[in-house]
Amino acid sequence: MGEFDLITRYFKRPATRSPLGVGDDCALLAPAAGMQLAVSSDMLVEGRHFLSTVEPARLGYKALAVNLSDLAACGAKPLAFTLALALPGVDEPWLEGFSRGLFALADAHGCELVGGDTTRGPLNICITVFGEVPAGAALLRSGARAGDDLWVSGSLGDARLALEVFRGTLSLPADAFAQARTRMEQPTPRVALGQALRGIATSAVDVSDGLIGDLGHILASSRVGATLDADATTALIAVDTTGLPAEALRTCALSGGDDYELVFTAPASACDAVLQAGVNSATRVTRIGRIEADAGLRIVDAGGAPVSQRFGSFDHFV
Amino acid sequence: MGEFDLITRYFKRPATRSPLGVGDDCALLAPAAGMQLAVSSDMLVEGRHFLSTVEPARLGYKALAVNLSDLAACGAKPLAFTLALALPGVDEPWLEGFSRGLFALADAHGCELVGGDTTRGPLNICITVFGEVPAGAALLRSGARAGDDLWVSGSLGDARLALEVFRGTLSLPADAFAQARTRMEQPTPRVALGQALRGIATSAVDVSDGLIGDLGHILASSRVGATLDADATTALIAVDTTGLPAEALRTCALSGGDDYELVFTAPASACDAVLQAGVNSATRVTRIGRIEADAGLRIVDAGGAPVSQRFGSFDHFV
């Protein structure tokens, strides 16, 4: 099977929203009047972003999910994406599974594949996603203010728990592992919540490298500090962690990575509006701290005492 | 050096046109009223799109050039791009050279880096480029009509000649090799010509996989055929090829690949307008054939006799 047959068989579908579908030199996009286009690119590499054992359908899902998560963090509505794919060879069952998982999530969000590239090479998946947001309404990292509450969506730490089980440093009962593995392989991008938070949240970021590291981007961009409740955060681990050491659980929840939840800030007066945005988007939201004028991040336990444990943030080059 | 330091040092520059520069979850783009956004993604892999011996600055240049060439083929004006980069490690001289070559071409076209991703992995460069074109004015592959002239910009075959010298199948004098190698490593995207052809050309495509293969996309999309003058095409090789076999020269010019010229069609009555577009964009344009109602491509010599030589087109999976 040649390159163009491969594209036609697995990735070409009739264009709906875009003026032009897959197959010309460029795709054409026309955001509606008054809308800005939000754009994000993520590249996934085997052994770093996914394990070689992952089911192709779950990988196709995840490759798009991590990009949709960036749109969610901006409050943008997904529109379209391009897919560039380097493949070691033509593996039809793999392509069938990958494209099935990819399109299942794309269809759930009305996000259309409009173009891309395929080449032979070490497995590499690069998606660029496009969303639209009313001009000036995008959620940024730079809007947090002292006194704002600090919130996070959904659950935290489960993906890292699954990874540690794969690495053999922790063990979980089969049910809990299966649940954690699904969180690692099929994270839920918080697309509806992100849009519901427009006009309410003062800043937002998605948690890909770990809560502490990604929160750090908000603190740096907004030139503020924060106090974070470690116990409230660790309580957001979804799977049953009975018997696991408290320190490991804090590491997973606070700096685990691969969560694809939204961490965001909002004025204390907007608390009810945040809770309503959570209800409207069927997404749990939890208050885990407060923004303060003093620079730096202070991590405390439920009683307010400082937590001395040290945490890292995922960095591809450290 | 960590991932964020790497981005800051080599890839972060102040935003100018985009409402937001590198460093938030998404970049924001706002095409002007009445404009469509043209989008294209290309992925470059070592050993397939470039040799390991290429200078980093030339590679940075080429990675963007092949994407700008797609915009040119649509008649779009470059606006912005995202860069996703997988690197085996942090090699500062390489990064310095790569980013210098990349930004030199970006600046020459007013095309701004607005976001991207960096990760560790086998070297892989994925750029998604954005341009704007008045709604409905994009050059497509599907507009060629019987009776149209078939045109090509610039020169053809030099990049393939350089590749064959690297492979040891041909030899060239040092001067000619240097010139051919520059064509391979630093192709000129025909951005100004593409825009000048809006409203004149009936179809266009850029020559990346070889003239015959890429012309085939126009013929298939437009449901037409063509006659191509092989001798007029081979005459477009820029370097001195004295002594090289005629068959090899035809292969290079007609199916060589990596040319990044525009092949396009226009009504015979628009001949003067095409020539003027070439003058206005300081780009040579040459008539090399004619579009016909009969499907298929007929390759003839200067005397009109059929050329029996067989040609392939580059395909990453064949």
Side-chain angles (χ1 to χ4, degrees):
Chain A
M1 181 165 42
E3 179 179 353
F4 298 103
D5 291 334
L6 185 161
I7 293 170
T8 301
R9 182 162 320 169
Y10 294 109
F11 297 110
K12 192 167 183 174
R13 307 206 300 182
T16 54
R17 189 182 311 106
S18 166
L20 253 188
V22 172
D24 218 291
D25 290 278
C26 293
L28 297 174
L29 294 176
M35 302 298 256
Q36 288 177 330
L37 210 65
V39 178
S40 183
S41 290
D42 273 300
M43 179 175 267
L44 275 69
V45 174
E46 184 173 308
R48 299 203 74 80
H49 303 89
F50 57 91
L51 303 175
S52 59
T53 52
V54 67
E55 270 178 48
R58 288 187 167 207
L59 182 58
Y61 174 103
K62 183 169 179 176
L64 183 59
V66 305
N67 278 281
L68 292 177
S69 181
D70 285 314
L71 290 185
C74 285
K77 179 172 176 289
L79 285 181
F81 67 106
T82 61
L83 168 68
L85 199 54
L87 298 171
V90 178
D91 176 343
E92 294 212 41
W94 189 94
L95 282 162
E96 186 282 320
F98 180 86
S99 64
R100 179 163 39 82
L102 178 80
F103 283 126
L105 185 65
D107 290 347
H109 290 281
C111 191
E112 187 173 13
L113 178 63
V114 294
D117 195 13
T118 52
T119 180
R120 197 185 284 266
L123 183 57
N124 185 304
I125 304 156
C126 183
I127 287 181
T128 301
V129 75
F130 310 97
E132 63 180 12
V133 60
L139 303 176
L140 306 182
R141 298 176 174 187
S142 54
R145 297 290 171 260
D148 283 358
D149 289 326
L150 178 63
W151 297 81
V152 72
S153 65
S155 57
L156 284 173
D158 302 285
R160 178 62 175 270
L161 274 174
L163 181 62
E164 295 302 331
V165 173
F166 274 113
R167 287 173 168 167
T169 68
L170 294 177
S171 62
L172 282 174
D175 281 4
F177 174 60
Q179 190 187 345
R181 182 178 181 171
T182 297
R183 285 281 302 156
M184 178 175 84
E185 294 181 345
Q186 300 200 281
T188 302
R190 300 303 185 182
V191 170
L193 177 65
Q195 293 172 73
L197 289 172
R198 291 196 310 233
I200 299 171
T202 52
S203 72
V205 70
D206 75 320
V207 181
S208 52
D209 298 333
L211 174 67
I212 291 175
D214 289 311
L215 171 58
H217 298 312
I218 287 183
L219 302 186
S221 294
S222 301
R223 298 163 194 263
V224 292
T227 291
L228 173 67
D229 180 339
D231 291 334
T233 305
T234 305
L236 294 176
I237 295 175
V239 307
D240 179 3
T241 57
T242 310
L244 293 180
E247 188 153 320
L249 297 181
R250 279 191 175 158
T251 295
C252 289
L254 273 72
S255 66
D258 247 8
D259 295 301
Y260 302 101
E261 296 294 351
L262 299 186
V263 55
F264 58 96
T265 60
S269 60
C271 178
D272 288 348
V274 170
L275 293 170
Q276 191 60 50
V279 169
N280 293 348
S281 59
T283 309
R284 176 181 178 179
V285 290
T286 307
R287 218 165 6 162
I288 54 169
R290 182 171 293 266
I291 299 297
E292 294 156 349
D294 285 352
L297 178 62
R298 291 156 288 281
I299 302 172
V300 299
D301 65 17
V307 169
S308 59
Q309 186 177 340
R310 290 178 59 86
F311 300 91
S313 175
F314 190 80
D315 187 310
H316 287 289
F317 293 102
V318 169
Chain B
M1 181 166 39
E3 179 179 352
F4 299 104
D5 291 334
L6 184 161
I7 292 169
T8 301
R9 184 164 317 170
Y10 295 108
F11 297 110
K12 191 168 183 172
R13 308 205 301 179
T16 55
R17 189 182 310 108
S18 166
L20 255 187
V22 173
D24 217 292
D25 290 277
C26 293
L28 297 174
L29 295 176
M35 302 298 257
Q36 288 177 330
L37 210 64
V39 179
S40 182
S41 291
D42 273 300
M43 179 174 268
L44 275 69
V45 174
E46 185 171 307
R48 298 202 74 80
H49 303 89
F50 57 92
L51 302 175
S52 60
T53 52
V54 68
E55 270 178 47
R58 288 187 167 207
L59 181 57
Y61 173 103
K62 184 169 179 175
L64 183 60
V66 304
N67 278 281
L68 292 177
S69 181
D70 284 314
L71 291 184
C74 285
K77 179 172 178 290
L79 285 181
F81 67 106
T82 61
L83 168 68
L85 200 53
L87 299 169
V90 178
D91 176 342
E92 295 212 40
W94 189 94
L95 281 162
E96 185 282 319
F98 180 86
S99 64
R100 179 164 38 83
L102 178 79
F103 284 126
L105 185 65
D107 291 346
H109 289 280
C111 191
E112 186 173 12
L113 178 63
V114 294
D117 194 14
T118 53
T119 180
R120 197 185 284 267
L123 183 57
N124 185 305
I125 305 156
C126 184
I127 287 182
T128 301
V129 75
F130 309 96
E132 63 180 11
V133 61
L139 303 176
L140 306 182
R141 297 176 174 186
S142 53
R145 297 290 170 262
D148 282 357
D149 288 325
L150 179 64
W151 297 81
V152 72
S153 66
S155 58
L156 284 174
D158 302 285
R160 178 63 176 270
L161 274 173
L163 181 63
E164 295 301 330
V165 173
F166 274 113
R167 287 173 168 168
T169 67
L170 294 176
S171 62
L172 282 174
D175 281 4
F177 174 58
Q179 189 186 346
R181 183 178 180 170
T182 298
R183 285 281 302 157
M184 178 176 83
E185 294 181 345
Q186 301 200 281
T188 303
R190 301 302 185 181
V191 170
L193 176 65
Q195 293 172 74
L197 289 173
R198 291 197 308 236
I200 299 170
T202 51
S203 72
V205 70
D206 75 320
V207 181
S208 53
D209 297 332
L211 173 67
I212 291 175
D214 290 311
L215 171 57
H217 298 311
I218 287 182
L219 303 187
S221 295
S222 302
R223 298 162 194 263
V224 293
T227 291
L228 173 67
D229 180 339
D231 291 334
T233 304
T234 305
L236 295 177
I237 296 175
V239 308
D240 179 3
T241 56
T242 310
L244 292 181
E247 188 154 320
L249 296 181
R250 279 190 176 159
T251 293
C252 290
L254 274 70
S255 67
D258 246 7
D259 295 302
Y260 301 101
E261 297 293 352
L262 299 186
V263 56
F264 58 96
T265 59
S269 60
C271 178
D272 287 348
V274 170
L275 293 170
Q276 191 60 49
V279 170
N280 293 348
S281 59
T283 309
R284 176 181 178 178
V285 289
T286 307
R287 218 165 5 162
I288 55 168
R290 182 171 293 264
I291 299 296
E292 294 156 348
D294 283 352
L297 177 62
R298 289 156 288 280
I299 303 173
V300 299
D301 65 19
V307 169
S308 59
Q309 187 177 339
R310 290 179 58 87
F311 301 93
S313 175
F314 190 78
D315 187 309
H316 287 288
F317 293 101
V318 169

